[in-house]
Amino acid sequence: MTNKKFFLLSGERSTLPQAELRAIVETYDDKARFEAINDRVMVVDGRFDLKTILKRSAYANAGGNLLTHCKIENAEKSIKAIAFDEFMEDSVSFAAYIFNLSDQHLSGKMEAIIGSAVKERLPKAKVSLKNPQNIVIGIIFGEHLLLGFTDYMEKRIWKSRRPRARPFFHPSALYPKFARGLVNLSHVKEGDLLLDPFCGTGSVLIEASIIGINTIGIDVSMKMCRGSMDNLKHYMLESLGVINSDALMLPIRNVDAIVTDVPYGRCASSRGIKTMNLLQDFILQADAIIPKGRYCIIVHPNTIELNNLDAFEVKERHEVYVHRSLTRAITVLRKR
Ligand SMILES: C[S@@+](CC[C@H](N)C(=O)[O-])C[C@H]1O[C@@H](n2cnc3c(N)ncnc32)[C@H](O)[C@@H]1O
């Protein structure tokens, strides 16, 4: 069997889903190779655990270990040729799920073909839509079918952590899905230390903590620090510290990554300093505490450009429309 996996990305109309997936995979296998089939489907050749990627990701909706990539017209023949008995036990319960990105009504037909092909190889296998041990997953796009298997297909629930659902609310709070995506762009692994120096209500700290990253938050406002701590506690999460301090005088020596959403507009006080100046000064601070090769993810209005970047390579820049007067830019910096 190959090391190829495929992923179905959410259709956000942004470059973020692909970038997030690349970043998470690179975190576990820096030699992985990527093939973007289109903006929603990505095939990745590498040695990493599919479930780890799917559990962490904000924008990958599903994925599978690749079994076949074929034309729809040859699908039946290709599916029947798959040795399901090589990776499934005979008495296993299974389900077939098809994500159909084409405009042809093919899902039911494909699921039926898969069901009978599995049964042919594994006569004792039982279909279980509720709680299958193995899932045969397919994506139909254009004239093509990608088929694979997985044992993980949980839906991530963001609703319970949306800004209004947390005990401490502020209008500047980021949505959990977006905050998770930012954490993933920073290439942090379980046990690494991530800093959010403008932590506000703690959105980034919460999403990083959930996936096993150690965090430190800083905010110049005591109210925000307390609010961040209340929010973390509400989800039974802990940060190594939420420090009431100025991000331009960082009380920290060394972190593995910085992920932050800088203050701008009316919602986020920057104590009279213009966002552009604050950012310029902050970049110098970031340079002092980030080791070579590590990442700094900065969210800022797209009307403001980052300066003082000599110590960093600008790896990527993404944009996300928020409303008429705000489009967020996400700049991915890597320390040289
Ligand atoms: C855009 S908000 C962050 C929102 C946060 N990402 C969230 O989801 O809640 C920016 C935060 O920076 C804080 N801030 C402003 N100037 C600061 C400074 N010089 N040092 C540290 N924090 C500062 C503000 O109090 C505000 O909470």
Side-chain angles (χ1 to χ4, degrees), residues 163-335:
R164 289 274 182 196
R166 304 174 198 157
F168 176 72
F169 172 78
H170 188 274
S172 64
L174 297 178
Y175 275 78
K177 186 173 177 180
F178 180 63
R180 175 70 67 86
L182 299 176
V183 170
N184 284 329
L185 285 178
S186 78
H187 292 73
V188 277
K189 261 204 182 103
E190 296 82 352
D192 280 352
L193 178 59
L194 175 151
L195 168 71
D196 181 351
F198 302 97
C199 70
T201 65
S203 315
V204 168
L205 308 180
I206 291 171
E207 293 310 314
S209 302
I210 289 175
I211 57 171
I213 314 297
N214 294 315
T215 62
I216 294 185
I218 289 180
D219 204 289
V220 78
S221 150
M222 190 63 194
K223 191 175 155 201
M224 290 292 200
C225 290
R226 288 211 186 95
S228 257
M229 286 196 284
D230 288 348
N231 285 346
L232 281 158
K233 203 168 148 201
H234 180 73
Y235 298 105
M236 289 186 282
L237 300 167
E238 271 181 31
S239 174
L240 294 183
V242 178
I243 308 168
N244 182 214
S245 174
D246 190 331
L248 301 184
M249 290 184 283
L250 287 177
I252 294 163
R253 287 252 174 91
N254 205 330
V255 295
D256 297 307
I258 295 177
V259 176
T260 203
D261 168 31
V262 298
Y264 46 84
R266 279 176 297 128
C267 297
S269 143
S270 51
R271 298 231 155 142
I273 306 174
K274 280 199 178 141
T275 301
M276 189 136 59
N277 300 341
L278 184 88
L279 259 171
Q280 278 192 19
D281 292 348
F282 175 69
I283 297 284
L284 298 175
Q285 297 278 313
D287 175 20
I289 63 165
I290 282 262
K292 191 171 169 232
R294 291 298 199 150
Y295 286 79
C296 183
I297 313 299
I298 301 193
V299 180
H300 54 99
N302 76 336
T303 47
I304 294 173
E305 288 309 321
L306 303 188
N307 291 314
N308 277 356
L309 291 178
D310 296 351
F312 293 93
E313 178 191 352
V314 181
K315 293 284 290 183
E316 293 162 12
R317 188 179 189 281
H318 309 280
E319 291 206 350
V320 175
Y321 176 86
V322 183
H323 51 69
R324 216 152 45 99
S325 44
L326 176 63
T327 294
R328 288 192 174 115
I330 300 121
T331 300
V332 177
L333 302 175
R334 190 174 191 200
K335 178 82 178 275

Side-chain angles (χ1 to χ4, degrees), residues 30-194:
D30 59 4
K31 293 191 176 59
R33 281 175 304 177
F34 300 85
E35 185 191 349
I37 304 278
N38 57 41
D39 56 356
R40 298 217 38 206
V41 183
M42 181 95 102
V43 173
V44 187
D45 191 352
R47 293 178 182 275
F48 55 86
D49 178 43
L50 180 68
K51 188 169 170 178
T52 308
I53 308 294
L54 290 171
K55 271 178 104 170
R56 278 186 65 152
S57 171
Y59 299 105
N61 287 347
N65 297 289
L66 185 66
L67 293 168
T68 186
H69 180 179
C70 60
K71 282 263 182 103
I72 295 290
E73 63 201 45
N74 303 326
E76 186 159 4
K77 197 171 150 213
S78 300
I79 294 169
K80 285 198 166 149
I82 296 171
F84 290 101
D85 46 339
E86 280 182 8
F87 57 90
M88 281 159 82
E89 309 243 328
D90 197 7
S91 55
V92 80
S93 63
F94 75 99
Y97 291 124
I98 298 291
F99 294 88
N100 190 353
L101 307 183
S102 80
D103 45 16
Q104 303 178 65
H105 297 286
L106 288 166
S107 305
K109 186 178 166 197
M110 286 303 153
E111 283 164 6
I113 294 174
I114 295 164
S116 79
V118 172
K119 287 285 226 177
E120 218 163 89
R121 301 262 178 174
L122 302 159
K124 289 191 200 144
K126 282 195 184 66
V127 175
S128 160
L129 295 181
K130 267 199 176 157
N131 203 10
Q133 291 161 294
N134 268 287
I135 298 160
V136 181
I137 171 177
I139 308 178
I140 297 172
F141 55 95
E143 296 299 311
H144 294 258
L145 170 75
L146 272 175
L147 199 76
F149 72 98
T150 180
D151 56 3
Y152 182 81
M153 226 169 98
E154 272 166 38
K155 275 208 167 138
R156 284 136 309 175
I157 313 288
W158 305 105
K159 223 170 129 191
S160 61
R161 297 195 301 281
R162 72 192 193 281
R164 289 274 182 196
R166 304 174 198 157
F168 176 72
F169 172 78
H170 188 274
S172 64
L174 297 178
Y175 275 78
K177 186 173 177 180
F178 180 63
R180 175 70 67 86
L182 299 176
V183 170
N184 284 329
L185 285 178
S186 78
H187 292 73
V188 277
K189 261 204 182 103
E190 296 82 352
D192 280 352
L193 178 59
L194 175 151

